[in-house]
Amino acid sequence: MNPTTPPMGWNTWNTFGENIDERLVLESVDKFVELGLKDAGYEYVVIDDCWSLRERDAKTGEIVPDPAKFPRGMKFVADYVHSKGLKFGMYSCAGVRTCADYPGSFEHEFLDARTFARWGVDFLKYDYCDMPFYDKAQFYYRRMGQALRLSGRDILFSACNWGREDVWRWIRSTGAGMYRSTPDIFDSFGSMRSIAISQLPKFDTSAPGCFNDMDMLTVGMFKKGHVAAEKWAGKDVPTFEEYKVQFAAWCVWGAPLMLGCDIRSMDPEILKLVTNRTLLGIDQDRLALQPFVAETVQLDKDEPRVVARLLDGGDMALMFVNFGENEVSGRTHLDKLGLPYDSGMRLSLRDAFTGEVSQSGRDTISYRLAPRSCEVFRATPVVA
Ligand code: GLA
């Protein structure tokens, strides 16, 4: 079954890179449940690149889990994940080698899909490094899509070719349930901002069945871990306010929510943020409608100021965002949200972060935003 709302979970890559092993995964699974992430809707525990030996088994041709990292093999890990009521994800690559130079699935798609099915894998992230040809993504992703469908197990296909080759035009034909529509994220405000803004022209390409994946969240990394390295992410440690902007954008945009921080030592404020019911309710809204930019501003280039999405039952999500470096304030007309003066409506606004309820004006809403900050509301139209 392809997903009808954006998949949610945790992935090893952002923090741990190649430093992964059974203990880390099992401890994270325990914490996952203990912290209430499962109750909040997070479901997939995904092991990214670097889990296997450098070469396939000479006799069987199968990829072999590195016994130094996963001494009891992957079926054991999968069983453990399942015993906690969660789902298990793994990683491979359409190319000859993965991005970190482990065996990829090129010309081994069907064998690997059967192996993953045998281990009890529920989700496969499928990368795009080391391809013999870089203009045939559609062809290679279709191979693995078929292999997974025919593997005898329901495995969510998570394609990851970084938004190349107009992937949104064909990815649904491969059976994928989500696909990366962006380059890799790093743990900096700049990286998050450029990913969020890059998705505005692609709002029409994400829908139930197959969601645009804006990459794993860096929320809560606070500069610790693999994608926080200074060479990619610069020196600045992201602030809590910046992570709020990131998490809220992923939710209002309707993206998959794959946590990427070390959940074993998650900051309590970050836990509150990523389990925020109002934001998760927006991300997971049953209708999964297309968001829209109600107002843009000219900063470096056109940037969104107000982004909205109609929700199931008549409410709407409303995000006021300031990606810039100066405080801003202003007013937005309700007409830009489809509510002209004549509608006789105004909005009752529930602040997603504080729970406070306020009323919009009769025809406008005012905002004041610090640099790199946002306000998010679940808004209910009410008779004015
Ligand atoms: C690519 C992907 C990342 C991660 C690494 C692993 O860069 O986009 O998300 O999976 O490969 O090597």
Side-chain angles (χ1 to χ4, degrees):
M1 263 288 284
N2 277 31
T4 54
T5 54
M8 295 168 63
W10 172 76
N11 174 304
T12 55
W13 182 255
N14 278 2
T15 295
F16 299 99
E18 66 178 358
N19 300 314
I20 51 173
D21 59 21
E22 182 189 289
R23 185 166 158 205
L24 163 71
V25 177
L26 267 46
E27 283 178 5
S28 302
V29 167
D30 290 346
K31 218 42 189 180
F32 206 97
V33 177
E34 189 188 315
L35 292 177
L37 291 169
K38 175 173 177 257
D39 292 339
Y42 292 89
E43 190 177 20
Y44 292 96
V45 172
V46 183
I47 298 178
D48 208 282
D49 204 351
C50 310
W51 56 268
S52 76
L53 287 177
R54 292 279 178 186
E55 300 302 333
R56 288 172 177 272
D57 182 282
K59 277 206 202 101
T60 63
E62 285 187 4
I63 309 192
V64 185
D66 183 342
K69 294 177 177 171
F70 297 96
R72 288 178 276 193
M74 287 305 180
K75 172 90 169 58
F76 175 83
V77 180
D79 287 348
Y80 192 82
V81 172
H82 292 149
S83 76
K84 303 283 171 175
L86 298 168
K87 292 188 172 165
F88 182 49
M90 289 198 69
Y91 164 101
S92 189
C93 177
V96 180
R97 307 286 291 176
T98 71
C99 299
D101 197 20
Y102 292 80
S105 291
F106 183 76
E107 303 286 2
H108 294 79
E109 293 86 356
F110 283 72
L111 172 65
D112 289 351
R114 282 197 299 274
T115 307
F116 292 136
R118 194 177 77 229
W119 289 342
V121 169
D122 307 296
F123 175 111
L124 182 69
K125 173 172 168 183
Y126 203 51
D127 220 335
Y128 197 52
C129 278
D130 199 20
M131 302 302 302
F133 304 99
Y134 270 105
D135 55 352
K136 297 208 165 24
Q138 184 171 167
F139 177 77
Y140 294 118
Y141 277 87
R142 190 161 297 114
R143 280 188 185 178
M144 188 47 104
Q146 285 283 30
L148 292 175
R149 282 153 56 85
L150 300 172
S151 71
R153 194 174 166 87
D154 190 8
I155 299 178
L156 197 161
F157 187 22
S158 169
C160 178
N161 86 325
W162 323 306
R164 293 228 202 142
E165 299 179 39
D166 290 349
V167 54
W168 40 88
R169 290 185 180 274
W170 50 264
I171 192 63
R172 280 176 188 73
S173 73
T174 69
M178 58 190 263
Y179 76 98
R180 271 278 289 284
S181 48
T182 73
D184 283 10
I185 198 167
F186 300 111
D187 189 28
S188 72
F189 187 77
S191 169
M192 179 285 281
R193 169 180 181 264
S194 80
I195 285 181
I197 292 173
S198 77
Q199 296 307 286
L200 304 180
K202 298 190 181 125
F203 276 164
D204 58 341
T205 63
S206 192
C210 185
F211 291 93
N212 290 13
D213 173 9
M214 294 160 68
D215 207 353
M216 285 91 67
L217 295 153
T218 60
V219 170
M221 288 183 67
F222 290 112
K223 225 33 170 220
K224 288 201 204 88
H226 188 66
V227 305
E230 198 179 314
K231 62 181 168 184
W232 297 315
K235 278 201 171 69
D236 296 344
V237 181
T239 63
F240 182 66
E241 284 303 312
E242 292 173 12
Y243 285 139
K244 268 167 75 176
V245 175
Q246 178 179 158
F247 194 70
W250 265 233
C251 289
V252 174
W253 278 218
L257 300 175
M258 304 299 281
L259 302 172
C261 62
D262 185 347
I263 54 180
R264 299 168 309 172
S265 54
M266 200 190 282
D267 178 292
E269 283 302 306
I270 293 290
L271 176 63
K272 241 169 92 185
L273 174 64
V274 301
T275 53
N276 179 302
R277 292 173 77 97
T278 306
L279 292 175
L280 293 179
I282 291 170
D283 184 71
Q284 296 291 304
D285 186 68
R286 201 168 64 90
L287 299 182
L289 293 179
Q290 178 182 338
F292 60 97
V293 180
E295 199 165 305
T296 50
V297 283
Q298 187 74 30
L299 292 176
D300 281 354
K301 46 188 175 194
D302 266 359
E303 299 198 1
R305 174 69 76 232
V306 186
V307 183
R309 180 147 62 90
L310 305 189
L311 304 174
D312 190 25
D315 284 1
M316 71 176 93
L318 204 51
M319 179 171 184
F320 296 88
V321 59
N322 180 7
F323 284 115
E325 306 300 332
N326 301 304
E327 183 181 296
V328 294
S329 57
R331 285 186 318 160
T332 294
H333 275 266
L334 298 192
D335 203 2
K336 292 182 175 166
L337 306 169
L339 294 173
Y341 195 86
D342 272 6
S343 67
M345 309 295 263
R346 67 167 84 208
L347 290 172
S348 168
L349 302 161
R350 183 149 51 88
D351 188 307
F353 298 112
T354 65
E356 265 169 48
V357 177
S358 60
Q359 300 281 313
S360 75
R362 179 64 182 79
D363 60 346
T364 56
I365 309 178
S366 318
Y367 57 81
R368 177 180 295 276
L369 299 163
R372 301 185 175 195
S373 80
C374 67
E375 285 186 345
V376 182
F377 301 98
R378 187 167 179 120
T380 307
V382 293
V383 176

